[in-house]
Structures are given as structure tokens and as C-alpha cells.
Amino acid sequence: MAEFDAAPPNTRAGGNDDNLRVKEVGNPSHNADEFDMVAYQNEVPLWKRIHQHSLTQMFLMSIQAFCGPAMADAIAGLGGGGLATPQTSNIATSINYACLAITCLFGGPIVNRLGTKWALVLGAMSFPIRGASYYCNSKFGIQWFLIFGAFITGTGSGCWYVAESGTIMSIAPSGARGKYLALWIVARNLGQLIGGAINLSKNHQAGAKGGVTPDTYIAFLIIESLAFPFAWLISPLHNVVRSDGTKVRVAEKLSTKAEFKLIKVTMTSKLILLSALWAVWSFFYSGTWSTYLGTYFSTRARALSSLISPFFCIIGCFGLGFILDMKSLSQRRRAQLGLFTVLILNTGVYIWTIIMQTKFNKHSPGKIDWVDKLYPSAFLPYFFVQTTGPLSQSYMYWLLSSFATDAQANVRNGAAFRCLEAVGQAISYGMNTQIKTSPLIGFCVTFGLMAAAMGPMILLVNSTPNEIPADVLDKEEHERELEDHQNQQKPVGEKDEDVNFSVNRV
């Protein structure tokens, strides 16, 4: 087992395996090594230290995730976007994720040039368009706005997603990445809880048919608008101070041409190639399970489902976070244990769902309400997938950050992974626009994708370095600086003796 724990000889943290990390062009900034925590505390006002603290920044990112992506998930959690028929919503959502994928593909260079803060600000401006388009379609039947809004939100959200992934993977201290990521993923799912409460309060009457009330989307629109002011409060990465007293390792800015050249390097790196199928699969479930909810559940049952689904996610994500932060295990062992946990839980949920769907294909249940005896067994697979799905996403971002050499590498890797995630979502929702009888095909495809992703992921996880490369590089540079400083303090004769002594030893 000791040999299994040890990292392969060519994949040490910050080592010489160029396929496992993006090659750096230009010299890295040494701001992390030069940072003096004592001087910082003495010279910087308390309010500013609190603002620049990594936990504060993660809270600000989580609030934006709650206002933006979480509200989008809440709308999807209504089943077909809450519309009377899910097909139009699935078409719009598919277009949204197609645009998001394209933006994420080129998002790394864009965000690294703009800076994560300004990319977040620009992206947050597009969030309210989603709620507005659903309101107009529900109230006035304007379907073209739903489709056109999908183009705008897909592009804007893509810019925001790239900046978000680079930020959340960079600001967390190495010993608490699992818990920080759990906080972020829980905030995203709490949005669905709030959305479900809004929906249930307006659609709780028995016998309600069709879509949810138009006023429901007004509440979503208001919450989505709140992401914009919080995006302005984000501090640039080079100013963030982690809770362990370290700063984010930031490389020097590259030219736009050099950044675009790195797209190919990133997309063809071993890190992205081995995680590609996992990325496509990680959000693939959302389209099929949303269609499942819209097809088989009444309006108020869908509202109740979207309310209570995120509760177990909170426990699950923080539970996985504690596993991934266990100091008694090496980083590589934690990666293996996390992968095993995520795969086992997802497998159980998928098998259960396929069994339920097979029964529905034989005997259609009609529209299931929460007072029906069938409701618990039919709803629980959806309930648990709202936990196992986010677990797979939280785990993957933790794993990606385990290979990071600096903040810009996190942005590029995050952009590539987000691109592939969006491709999976676009395919999933696009596929479900054609499935008008049974979501069974979607469930089987999702299960098959997970099975196909297992092999490459095992290879990747078994090559996880035992320390984050960025941390190792910081330590090595700090040691060199200390050594240079000590040599400068020595008398000239003493330096010569050291050199002669070294030569004699050789």
C-alpha cells in the first residue's frame, strides 16, 4: 500500500511531467514568497483584511453562485423550467449550454487578460435575462425571447463560470480545500431550496395544471439581479490572503496571443484528456432528471421536490469535504477515497432510477402528487441525485486544484473543464427535446457515461501529487531566497571556503 500511496516518479508536485500541467510562459510572480503577514496585519486596516480574507472571498463567490447559477438550477428544478411543456425550455437550455461551452473554450485567455473580478462583473450582468425570458414566455407566450435570452445568458454565464472556477480553486488554503468547495457547492444548491420555497408558496393548490405562475419568475429575476453588486466586491486574486497566512501564487500576465496558444496546450494536456468524460458526465444528469420531474409529477409536487431536494446535499458535500481534507492521509489517498465514494453513491442512485423508470414504462403513473402512495419511491431517486451530482462536481474541482501551478493555470484548467461540462449539458437537454415518451434512454446514457469515465479517472487519480505543485514551487523559491540571503550576509572569505569545500567533496 505504501507503493500505491507514492506518486509516480515523473509526476511529483510541480515536477517535470508537462502533460499533467500547463507549461508556463514567462516568470512567475514571487508575491507569495515576499508576503510578510506581520507587516500586513500592522499596516492594513481591519476592514480591508476581512475583505481580502480567503473565507470572505469564498462567501462572496458563494453568494453570486446562489444568485446566478443556483437560480438557473432552481428554474430547471421546476421540471421543464416550470413551463406547461418541457420541450421549449429544453431547447432554450440546450442553446444556453452550447453558447456557454464556446465561451468557456476561449474563456481562459479572456479572463486572464481581464482579471477574474471584471469577468465576474460582466458575467453577473447577464443573469437576470434568464428569469426575464421565462417570465415573458409564461406571461405573454413570447418564445423567441426565451431562445434569444439563452444566447445572451450562455455567453455571459460562460465568462462568469471561467472566472469562478479559477477563483474557487485558487483562494482556498491547501488544508481546507474540501470544506471551501463544499461551501460553494452548497450555496449553489441552496438556491434551488429558495427557488422551491418561492414556487411552492405560489403553486400549492391541489389540482393545479400546466406551468407555474408567472409571478414565480419575478422572484427569480430579483434574486438574479443581486449577483451584480456582489461581483464588484470581489478582490483581485493577487490581493487575497488565505486563512493559513499565504497568498495566491500568480504568474506574470501573458500576451493575448500567448494565452490563446495555451488553449491547445490545456485542452490536450493529460489532466484535461483524462477528466474529459467525467466533465461531460458530471452535469449530464440535470437534463434527464428535469424532464423526469416535469413528465411524471404535478405542479405542486414539482414545487415541493425542488424545495426539499437540496437538504441532503448540505450534509453530503461537507461530508465529502472532510474526507478530502483529512490530514492523516496523503493527498493521493484522499483523491482515491473521494473517487470511490462518489462512484458508489451515483451507481446506487442510477440503478434505482432505471428500475423506477422501467416500471413507469409498463404502467404510466400519470401526474404524481405528494399525497399519492407512489410519491416517495418515485421522488427519492431525484432527491438523491441532487446530492450525488453536486458531489461529483465538488470532487472534480478539488482534484483539478491538486495539480495547479498557479492561479492562471487554475483559470485555464477550469475553463477547459467548464467547456466540457457545458457540452454535456447541451447534449443532455438537446437529447431530451427529442424524448417525448420516456426518459429511460437519458438515464441509461448517463449511467453509461459514468462507466466510461471511470477508467481514465482512475489513471488520473493514481497520478495525483502528494502536494499541490504551487505550494511546492513556493517552498522551493522561498528556500532559494533564504539561501541567497544567507550567502549575502557571509564574509567573502567564508564564501570562498564554502566553494572550495564543495569542490573537494565532489
Side-chain angles (χ1 to χ4, degrees):
M1 296 303 290
E3 294 179 359
F4 191 55
D5 278 335
N10 200 34
T11 57
R12 69 177 181 84
N16 57 0
D17 188 349
D18 293 330
N19 290 321
L20 280 176
R21 60 185 178 89
V22 177
K23 294 180 181 178
E24 290 303 322
V25 182
N27 296 322
S29 168
H30 297 165
N31 64 324
D33 298 326
E34 298 170 354
F35 180 61
D36 187 337
M37 188 64 179
V38 176
Y40 174 78
Q41 292 177 337
N42 292 333
E43 297 171 4
V44 178
L46 177 61
W47 69 267
K48 194 170 185 178
R49 298 203 305 270
I50 294 175
H51 174 243
Q52 294 178 343
H53 194 278
S54 58
L55 187 58
T56 303
Q57 293 296 307
M58 185 59 87
F59 269 119
L60 292 173
M61 290 301 306
S62 298
I63 292 172
Q64 291 177 67
F66 167 80
C67 294
M71 288 301 105
D73 292 343
I75 293 174
L78 302 179
L83 301 178
T85 57
Q87 276 68 37
T88 303
S89 174
N90 284 340
I91 292 171
T93 307
S94 181
I95 292 173
N96 175 78
Y97 286 121
C99 293
L100 194 151
I102 295 172
T103 304
C104 286
L105 178 62
F106 301 102
I110 295 171
V111 171
N112 279 338
R113 293 300 296 171
L114 283 176
T116 54
K117 175 177 179 174
W118 298 112
L120 291 169
V121 169
L122 289 174
M125 293 171 64
S126 69
F127 291 158
I129 297 174
R130 184 187 304 274
S133 65
Y134 273 90
Y135 172 79
C136 290
N137 186 36
S138 179
K139 181 76 171 178
F140 308 109
I142 305 176
Q143 293 193 349
W144 69 264
F145 186 27
L146 193 66
I147 304 299
F148 179 69
F151 282 100
I152 300 175
T153 55
T155 303
S157 296
C159 191
W160 187 90
Y161 275 134
V162 172
E164 178 207 33
S165 60
T167 301
I168 62 172
M169 289 193 293
S170 299
I171 63 177
S174 59
R177 283 179 299 141
K179 300 181 189 69
Y180 268 60
L181 289 170
L183 173 65
W184 161 70
I185 205 76
V186 164
R188 289 198 60 169
N189 284 272
L190 281 178
Q192 185 167 328
L193 187 152
I194 301 300
I198 295 170
N199 185 27
L200 185 60
S201 68
K202 296 180 178 296
N203 303 278
H204 62 278
Q205 296 295 329
K209 295 181 180 180
V212 302
T213 62
D215 289 347
T216 304
Y217 300 111
I218 291 289
F220 289 140
L221 195 158
I222 292 172
I223 296 175
E224 287 172 331
S225 300
L226 295 176
F228 182 68
F230 282 102
W232 282 94
L233 296 176
I234 291 295
S235 179
L237 287 179
H238 62 270
N239 289 334
V240 176
V241 180
R242 298 190 183 107
S243 56
D244 60 1
T246 62
K247 295 196 75 175
V248 178
R249 182 181 177 85
V250 180
E252 292 180 357
K253 280 193 175 184
L254 306 178
S255 66
T256 303
K257 183 178 180 181
E259 281 282 0
F260 273 98
K261 283 184 178 180
L262 284 175
I263 292 177
K264 181 180 178 181
V265 177
T266 303
M267 295 299 293
T268 57
S269 67
K270 192 180 295 183
L271 176 61
I272 298 303
L273 291 177
L274 291 178
S275 62
L277 283 175
W278 185 281
V280 172
W281 162 73
S282 64
F283 270 104
F284 201 88
Y285 72 92
S286 58
T288 300
W289 264 268
S290 176
T291 302
Y292 172 79
L293 199 65
T295 302
Y296 296 112
F297 292 83
S298 67
T299 300
R300 70 172 191 168
R302 287 149 61 185
L304 179 63
S305 300
S306 60
L307 170 65
I308 63 179
S309 295
F311 277 108
F312 193 64
C313 177
I314 298 173
I315 300 173
C317 287
F318 277 103
L320 179 64
F322 278 106
I323 292 174
L324 297 177
D325 288 339
M326 292 174 65
K327 293 181 173 59
S328 58
L329 300 177
S330 68
Q331 181 170 261
R332 188 163 176 247
R333 175 62 75 194
R334 283 176 276 149
Q336 293 163 348
L337 184 58
L339 178 64
F340 177 79
T341 302
V342 170
L343 289 176
I344 289 296
L345 293 176
N346 274 284
T347 299
V349 172
Y350 288 178
I351 292 174
W352 186 350
T353 307
I354 290 173
I355 291 173
M356 290 303 303
Q357 184 59 57
T358 303
K359 291 180 179 179
F360 290 168
N361 285 352
K362 292 180 180 179
H363 304 285
S364 177
K367 290 291 185 180
I368 304 170
D369 194 50
W370 69 47
V371 297
D372 297 334
K373 292 182 179 179
L374 187 58
Y375 178 76
S377 59
F379 163 67
L380 282 175
Y382 180 86
F383 174 79
F384 285 121
V385 84
Q386 298 304 313
T387 296
T388 59
L391 283 180
S392 65
Q393 299 146 23
S394 179
Y395 169 76
M396 194 60 221
Y397 283 102
W398 179 90
L399 185 64
L400 287 176
S401 66
S402 300
F403 290 92
T405 52
D406 53 53
Q408 284 88 338
N410 271 332
V411 170
R412 296 184 195 104
N413 292 334
F417 193 77
R418 284 286 194 191
C419 173
L420 294 168
E421 278 182 340
V423 168
Q425 287 173 294
I427 294 173
S428 178
Y429 280 97
M431 181 179 66
N432 280 281
T433 63
Q434 304 300 319
I435 299 174
K436 300 180 180 179
T437 55
S438 167
L440 182 60
I441 296 174
F443 293 139
C444 292
V445 170
T446 307
F447 198 3
L449 272 174
M450 187 189 76
M454 286 175 59
M457 278 297 293
I458 290 173
L459 292 175
L460 178 61
V461 166
N462 288 344
S463 65
T464 305
N466 283 326
E467 290 185 80
I468 302 173
D471 292 347
V472 173
L473 292 173
D474 282 342
K475 290 178 184 177
E476 291 176 351
E477 290 176 5
H478 185 59
E479 289 173 359
R480 284 197 297 269
E481 287 179 358
L482 285 176
E483 186 178 342
D484 292 342
H485 180 71
Q486 291 172 355
N487 286 335
Q488 290 174 2
Q489 300 299 319
K490 288 182 180 180
V492 176
E494 194 173 329
K495 291 181 185 178
D496 294 339
E497 290 177 5
D498 289 343
V499 173
N500 291 332
F501 178 69
S502 299
V503 172
N504 291 333
R505 286 187 62 186
V506 173

